[in-house]
């Protein structure tokens, strides 16, 4: 644990809280991609297969439970909550996310750090998380206007990964045998996907204007 990882975990947690606030306070999921939320549920379920077998710390266990539980709760709300599901932008959220699942799993079978059940699914979760935001970004570009809470959610989600890059850099220089290169490369790809969004987010913040993405 270091300050960069802790900051990354906290910004990730804030992004989830912002999304839950949007859904439960407004009873609306407009502007949110169900496809992205389903991908994140896959990510956490695959990554934390060791939840009940390997104990690291109370903090680690609690964070795993929070990420799994919140992702499943969000998917449930968007699919089954009788009020929330009415606001789902089904016509805009048409990204074929199952393709990302298939490619990520195939890549995990071919490129991994160790050929074992948990390591294959860990690599799968890392690859899938790198591209899980794509359906959300495509939906926002198609809709054009981005409401404040949705914009904050995506911003904190991107910031979380940026902090994790700093965490990996720090660990590279301070740990003798740091070798999580799959995380590093995938994290760089994931952060790069946010570049366009961050640019327009900064412009809207600087001009004190509503966030708009080009179609």
């Amino acid at each position: 644990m270091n300050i960069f990882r802790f900051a990354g975990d906290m910004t990730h947690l804030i992004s989830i809280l912002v999304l839950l606030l949007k859904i439960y306070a407004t009873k609306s999921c407009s502007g949110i991609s169900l496809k992205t939320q389903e991908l994140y549920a896959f990510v956490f379920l695959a990554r934390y297969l060791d939840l009940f077998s390997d104990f690291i710390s109370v903090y680690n266990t609690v964070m795993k439970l929070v990420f799994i539980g919140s992702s499943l709760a969000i998917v449930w709300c968007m699919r089954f909550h009788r009020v929330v599901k009415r606001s789902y932008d089904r016509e805009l959220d048409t990204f074929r996310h199952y393709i990302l699942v298939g490619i990520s799993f195939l890549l995990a079978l071919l490129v991994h750090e160790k050929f074992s059940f948990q390591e294959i699914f860990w690599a799968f979760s890392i690859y899938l998380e790198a591209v899980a935001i794509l359906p959300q970004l495509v939906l926002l570009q198609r809709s054009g206007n981005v409401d404040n809470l949705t914009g904050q959610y995506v911003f904190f989600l991107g910031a979380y990964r940026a902090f994790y890059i700093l965490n990996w850099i720090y660990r590279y220089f301070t740990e003798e045998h740091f070798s999580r290169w799959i995380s590093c490369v995938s994290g760089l790809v994931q952060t790069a996907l946010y570049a366009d969004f961050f640019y327009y987010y900064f412009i809207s913040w600087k001009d004190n204007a509503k966030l708009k993405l080009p179609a």
Side-chain angles (χ1 to χ4, degrees):
M1 177 61 70
N2 59 68
I3 188 63
F4 300 115
R5 178 175 176 179
F6 181 73
D9 286 346
M10 290 304 102
T11 50
H12 193 183
L13 188 58
I14 290 171
S15 73
I16 292 172
L17 292 175
V18 168
L19 182 53
L20 289 172
L21 174 65
K22 171 186 170 65
I23 292 175
Y24 284 100
T26 66
K27 294 294 186 292
S28 170
C29 61
S30 177
I32 300 300
S33 169
L34 174 60
K35 306 292 180 65
T36 283
Q37 299 309 314
E38 288 175 339
L39 291 179
Y40 277 124
F42 278 125
V43 166
F44 298 132
L45 288 170
R47 183 172 303 169
Y48 301 140
L49 290 173
D50 63 347
L51 180 61
F52 299 108
S53 61
D54 301 327
F55 178 79
I56 298 173
S57 67
V58 172
Y59 172 85
N60 184 270
T61 300
V62 169
M63 293 302 282
K64 288 177 179 179
L65 289 171
V66 167
F67 292 142
I68 291 173
S70 60
S71 63
L72 293 176
I74 291 167
V75 170
W76 182 88
C77 280
M78 294 184 69
R79 278 194 172 276
F80 303 112
H81 192 286
R82 64 185 184 84
V83 177
V84 174
K85 70 179 183 179
R86 295 175 190 167
S87 58
Y88 172 47
D89 301 316
R90 192 179 306 276
E91 296 77 15
L92 298 177
D93 194 22
T94 57
F95 195 101
R96 297 176 181 175
H97 63 326
Y98 56 84
I99 294 177
L100 299 178
V101 175
I103 292 175
S104 297
F105 190 71
L106 179 61
L107 190 58
L109 289 174
L110 298 174
V111 183
H112 46 263
E113 295 183 2
K114 180 182 173 184
F115 192 76
S116 68
F117 182 80
Q118 283 195 0
E119 283 295 317
I120 292 295
F121 275 90
W122 177 83
F124 164 68
S125 76
I126 295 296
Y127 296 138
L128 186 59
E129 185 180 18
V131 294
I133 196 63
L134 279 174
Q136 179 66 63
L137 294 176
V138 169
L139 186 152
L140 293 180
Q141 284 191 318
R142 287 175 176 173
S143 63
N145 293 325
V146 183
D147 69 72
N148 184 53
L149 286 176
T150 302
Q152 296 291 334
Y153 161 68
V154 177
F155 171 79
F156 281 114
L157 205 54
Y160 133 71
R161 218 51 187 167
F163 276 120
Y164 258 67
I165 290 177
L166 296 176
N167 161 59
W168 296 322
I169 293 172
Y170 175 83
R171 292 180 64 185
Y172 177 79
F173 286 107
T174 58
E175 295 181 16
E176 189 173 348
H177 300 293
F178 178 68
S179 62
R180 287 296 196 182
W181 61 270
I182 290 177
S183 294
C184 297
V185 174
S186 299
L188 289 171
V189 171
Q190 183 177 357
T191 306
L193 293 177
Y194 286 89
D196 191 56
F197 175 86
F198 280 144
Y199 171 77
Y200 288 102
Y201 186 92
F202 174 75
I203 294 298
S204 69
W205 172 80
K206 186 182 68 157
D207 297 340
N208 195 26
K210 186 178 178 62
L211 177 59
K212 293 183 179 180
L213 299 180

